[in-house]
Amino acid sequence: MPIEKRCKDCGSSDIHCQTLAHWDSAKDGWVMDTPVDEPWCAECDSFEIEDVETP
C-alpha cells in the first residue's frame, strides 16, 4: 500500500522537509539526497509526523 506523511497533531498532509540535492546529468534534473532537518507540518508547525497507509 502507498504511504502518506501526515501530522499527528492536526492530520494535515502538507508536510515539508529541507534536503540536500545534486544535479544528475543522466537524469537531466535534481536528485534529492539526505534530509538536513526533521519534517514539519506547514499547517500547525508540529514536528509530530507519522506514516499513514492510503487506499
Side-chain angles (χ1 to χ4, degrees):
M1 288 197 125
I3 299 292
E4 182 173 70
K5 301 286 186 190
R6 288 203 171 266
C7 177
K8 287 183 179 180
D9 292 334
C10 74
S12 173
S13 63
D14 190 6
I15 307 302
H16 293 249
C17 183
Q18 293 183 23
T19 64
L20 298 175
H22 70 272
W23 183 258
D24 186 322
S25 296
K27 294 182 179 181
D28 194 28
W30 292 103
V31 176
M32 297 300 124
D33 286 332
T34 308
V36 294
D37 63 9
E38 294 294 317
W40 74 92
C41 175
E43 292 293 319
C44 71
D45 294 325
S46 172
F47 288 93
E48 298 297 320
I49 309 303
E50 64 183 345
D51 292 340
V52 177
E53 289 185 1
T54 58

